[in-house]
mmCIF file of all heavy atoms in Angstrom:
data_model
loop_
_atom_site.group_PDB
_atom_site.id
_atom_site.type_symbol
_atom_site.label_atom_id
_atom_site.label_comp_id
_atom_site.label_asym_id
_atom_site.label_seq_id
_atom_site.Cartn_x
_atom_site.Cartn_y
_atom_site.Cartn_z
ATOM 1 N N ILE L 1583 80.879 102.755 122.832
ATOM 2 C CA ILE L 1583 79.607 103.036 122.161
ATOM 3 C C ILE L 1583 78.678 101.872 122.485
ATOM 4 O O ILE L 1583 78.977 100.716 122.187
ATOM 5 C CB ILE L 1583 79.801 103.169 120.644
ATOM 6 C CG1 ILE L 1583 80.807 104.289 120.326
ATOM 7 C CG2 ILE L 1583 78.468 103.436 119.961
ATOM 8 C CD1 ILE L 1583 80.357 105.651 120.714
ATOM 9 N N SER L 1585 75.285 101.564 121.600
ATOM 10 C CA SER L 1585 74.291 101.178 120.581
ATOM 11 C C SER L 1585 74.532 101.974 119.315
ATOM 12 O O SER L 1585 75.088 103.075 119.352
ATOM 13 C CB SER L 1585 72.861 101.418 121.091
ATOM 14 O OG SER L 1585 72.616 102.805 121.264
ATOM 15 N N LEU L 1586 74.094 101.411 118.199
ATOM 16 C CA LEU L 1586 74.217 102.054 116.888
ATOM 17 C C LEU L 1586 73.014 101.661 116.047
ATOM 18 O O LEU L 1586 72.632 100.478 116.006
ATOM 19 C CB LEU L 1586 75.515 101.629 116.189
ATOM 20 C CG LEU L 1586 75.716 102.155 114.766
ATOM 21 C CD1 LEU L 1586 75.877 103.670 114.777
ATOM 22 C CD2 LEU L 1586 76.937 101.492 114.118
ATOM 23 N N ASP L 1587 72.394 102.671 115.403
ATOM 24 C CA ASP L 1587 71.220 102.414 114.568
ATOM 25 C C ASP L 1587 71.348 103.240 113.291
ATOM 26 O O ASP L 1587 71.842 104.376 113.317
ATOM 27 C CB ASP L 1587 69.942 102.786 115.313
ATOM 28 C CG ASP L 1587 68.699 102.298 114.567
ATOM 29 O OD1 ASP L 1587 68.850 101.432 113.689
ATOM 30 O OD2 ASP L 1587 67.595 102.785 114.863
ATOM 31 N N ALA L 1599 72.686 108.078 111.116
ATOM 32 C CA ALA L 1599 73.357 107.189 112.056
ATOM 33 C C ALA L 1599 73.102 107.726 113.452
ATOM 34 O O ALA L 1599 73.430 108.879 113.756
ATOM 35 C CB ALA L 1599 74.852 107.123 111.775
ATOM 36 N N VAL L 1600 72.502 106.888 114.316
ATOM 37 C CA VAL L 1600 72.136 107.295 115.664
ATOM 38 C C VAL L 1600 72.827 106.354 116.635
ATOM 39 O O VAL L 1600 72.798 105.127 116.437
ATOM 40 C CB VAL L 1600 70.609 107.263 115.869
ATOM 41 C CG1 VAL L 1600 70.239 107.741 117.273
ATOM 42 C CG2 VAL L 1600 69.917 108.112 114.813
ATOM 43 N N TRP L 1601 73.476 106.906 117.673
ATOM 44 C CA TRP L 1601 74.207 106.078 118.625
ATOM 45 C C TRP L 1601 74.054 106.625 120.028
ATOM 46 O O TRP L 1601 73.567 107.745 120.243
ATOM 47 C CB TRP L 1601 75.684 106.001 118.242
ATOM 48 C CG TRP L 1601 76.403 107.317 118.365
ATOM 49 C CD1 TRP L 1601 77.048 107.805 119.447
ATOM 50 C CD2 TRP L 1601 76.495 108.319 117.358
ATOM 51 N NE1 TRP L 1601 77.556 109.039 119.184
ATOM 52 C CE2 TRP L 1601 77.234 109.391 117.900
ATOM 53 C CE3 TRP L 1601 76.027 108.428 116.045
ATOM 54 C CZ2 TRP L 1601 77.515 110.541 117.185
ATOM 55 C CZ3 TRP L 1601 76.300 109.571 115.336
ATOM 56 C CH2 TRP L 1601 77.042 110.609 115.896
ATOM 57 N N SER L 1602 74.526 105.832 120.977
ATOM 58 C CA SER L 1602 74.563 106.256 122.379
ATOM 59 C C SER L 1602 75.853 105.759 123.000
ATOM 60 O O SER L 1602 76.423 104.752 122.567
ATOM 61 C CB SER L 1602 73.350 105.708 123.150
ATOM 62 O OG SER L 1602 73.361 104.285 123.136
ATOM 63 N N GLY L 1603 76.304 106.471 124.039
ATOM 64 C CA GLY L 1603 77.552 106.106 124.701
ATOM 65 C C GLY L 1603 78.731 106.859 124.114
ATOM 66 O O GLY L 1603 78.600 107.736 123.251
ATOM 67 N N LEU L 1609 83.702 109.925 117.753
ATOM 68 C CA LEU L 1609 83.095 108.756 117.135
ATOM 69 C C LEU L 1609 83.555 108.640 115.694
ATOM 70 O O LEU L 1609 83.461 109.604 114.926
ATOM 71 C CB LEU L 1609 81.571 108.842 117.166
ATOM 72 C CG LEU L 1609 80.860 107.746 116.345
ATOM 73 C CD1 LEU L 1609 80.956 106.413 117.054
ATOM 74 C CD2 LEU L 1609 79.420 108.103 116.067
ATOM 75 N N VAL L 1639 82.699 112.271 113.954
ATOM 76 C CA VAL L 1639 81.922 113.285 114.665
ATOM 77 C C VAL L 1639 82.230 113.184 116.145
ATOM 78 O O VAL L 1639 82.786 112.187 116.627
ATOM 79 C CB VAL L 1639 80.404 113.105 114.421
ATOM 80 C CG1 VAL L 1639 80.060 113.344 112.969
ATOM 81 C CG2 VAL L 1639 79.966 111.707 114.850
ATOM 82 N N ARG L 1640 81.869 114.233 116.881
ATOM 83 C CA ARG L 1640 81.950 114.174 118.328
ATOM 84 C C ARG L 1640 80.765 113.378 118.855
ATOM 85 O O ARG L 1640 79.620 113.554 118.426
ATOM 86 C CB ARG L 1640 81.925 115.578 118.925
ATOM 87 C CG ARG L 1640 83.078 116.458 118.512
ATOM 88 C CD ARG L 1640 84.415 115.893 118.935
ATOM 89 N NE ARG L 1640 84.493 115.713 120.383
ATOM 90 C CZ ARG L 1640 85.555 115.212 121.010
ATOM 91 N NH1 ARG L 1640 86.609 114.830 120.297
ATOM 92 N NH2 ARG L 1640 85.560 115.080 122.317
ATOM 93 N N SER L 1641 81.050 112.459 119.757
ATOM 94 C CA SER L 1641 79.999 111.558 120.214
ATOM 95 C C SER L 1641 78.883 112.278 120.950
ATOM 96 O O SER L 1641 77.788 111.761 121.093
ATOM 97 C CB SER L 1641 80.605 110.496 121.126
ATOM 98 O OG SER L 1641 81.184 111.100 122.271
ATOM 99 N N ALA L 1642 79.127 113.492 121.442
ATOM 100 C CA ALA L 1642 78.089 114.195 122.182
ATOM 101 C C ALA L 1642 76.883 114.533 121.298
ATOM 102 O O ALA L 1642 75.776 114.759 121.801
ATOM 103 C CB ALA L 1642 78.665 115.469 122.791
ATOM 104 N N ARG L 1643 77.058 114.613 120.000
ATOM 105 C CA ARG L 1643 75.946 114.943 119.100
ATOM 106 C C ARG L 1643 74.925 113.821 119.048
ATOM 107 O O ARG L 1643 73.741 114.066 118.882
ATOM 108 C CB ARG L 1643 76.474 115.250 117.710
ATOM 109 C CG ARG L 1643 77.298 116.525 117.654
ATOM 110 C CD ARG L 1643 77.902 116.728 116.283
ATOM 111 N NE ARG L 1643 76.879 116.721 115.230
ATOM 112 C CZ ARG L 1643 77.162 116.781 113.935
ATOM 113 N NH1 ARG L 1643 78.430 116.857 113.548
ATOM 114 N NH2 ARG L 1643 76.207 116.783 113.044
ATOM 115 N N GLY L 1644 75.353 112.588 119.101
ATOM 116 C CA GLY L 1644 74.422 111.462 119.154
ATOM 117 C C GLY L 1644 73.888 111.007 117.826
ATOM 118 O O GLY L 1644 73.284 109.939 117.736
ATOM 119 N N SER L 1645 74.046 111.788 116.750
ATOM 120 C CA SER L 1645 73.556 111.366 115.441
ATOM 121 C C SER L 1645 74.270 112.172 114.374
ATOM 122 O O SER L 1645 74.814 113.246 114.630
ATOM 123 C CB SER L 1645 72.043 111.556 115.326
ATOM 124 O OG SER L 1645 71.717 112.935 115.364
ATOM 125 N N THR L 1646 74.220 111.656 113.153
ATOM 126 C CA THR L 1646 74.785 112.356 111.999
ATOM 127 C C THR L 1646 74.123 111.813 110.755
ATOM 128 O O THR L 1646 73.607 110.679 110.739
ATOM 129 C CB THR L 1646 76.307 112.189 111.926
ATOM 130 O OG1 THR L 1646 76.827 113.020 110.887
ATOM 131 C CG2 THR L 1646 76.685 110.751 111.608
#
Side-chain angles (χ1 to χ4, degrees):
I1583 302 295
S1585 66
L1586 176 66
D1587 190 17
V1600 182
W1601 67 90
S1602 61
L1609 171 73
V1639 295
R1640 298 299 301 179
S1641 62
R1643 293 175 55 185
S1645 66
T1646 187

